[in-house]
Amino acid sequence: MRLRAFLTLALPLAFAALFVRLGVWQLSRLEQKRAFNAILSARLAAASADISTLPADTALGHYRRVTASGTMLYDREVVYAGRSREGSPGVHLLTPMKLDGRDTVVMVNRGWAYSFDAASIDNTRWREKDSVRVAGYAETFAGKERSAAPRRVHALDRAAVQAIVGLPVAPYLIVQTSDSAVHADSVPVRLEIPAPDEGPHKSYAIQWFSFALVAVVGGVALARRSR
């Protein structure tokens, strides 16, 4: 009887310990998110800089507000497939910008455009001016492209984009946010500036701690009944 009572109590306590550990992990994730939000807010609050002045270490320039002037190479445009907006399928248009006096081009994410299959699109419909000045924030390449498709990627893979463009590609992209409401029917929908967000980690932590409390109370009650 004592052994059964011990096992009846030990199992809920083991689950309680696991739930507490998961709750602490979520609190740790929350602290990491808050630290990231502090960096994000500081960089977005800083004055805009020319894209060519950002540090070589992309971790230091990520999310900085930037501007750039140059010539758009629409004939080398890349479709970033699988991008939804408000539940509608679509793509992002990554257009290389040729900067004066530089061989390296900067990819500009001009925004979202509707695509019935989130991959196919008539690029000519979304063509804008050739010589432009864009404003937005600096994004970095991440991910690995695994599907081979002409002029289309499913991940921000610098090597894959560079192979499609046929020119050296800068380590930063510009996510264009300027002129977001101008001619919405003839230009891609510009992406929004990222907003600091703590995510669901706090609520998840509360849930795990609640589960731990239920496990302890339930385990003690079962142990008493078994005795």
Side-chain angles (χ1 to χ4, degrees), residues 34-59:
R34 286 173 174 171
F36 168 79
N37 287 341
I39 296 174
L40 175 64
S41 298
R43 292 182 181 179
L44 292 177
S48 295
D50 189 276
I51 189 68
S52 61
T53 65
L54 293 187
D57 185 352
T58 55

Side-chain angles (χ1 to χ4, degrees), residues 156-167:
L156 290 178
D157 185 332
R158 186 182 178 190
V161 170
Q162 190 164 263
I164 294 174
V165 173
L167 294 168

Side-chain angles (χ1 to χ4, degrees), residues 66-85:
V66 292
T67 59
S69 299
T71 303
M72 292 294 206
L73 307 179
Y74 294 104
D75 58 326
R76 298 174 185 260
E77 190 166 65
V78 178
V79 171
Y80 184 14
R83 304 293 97 191
S84 63
R85 179 178 181 272

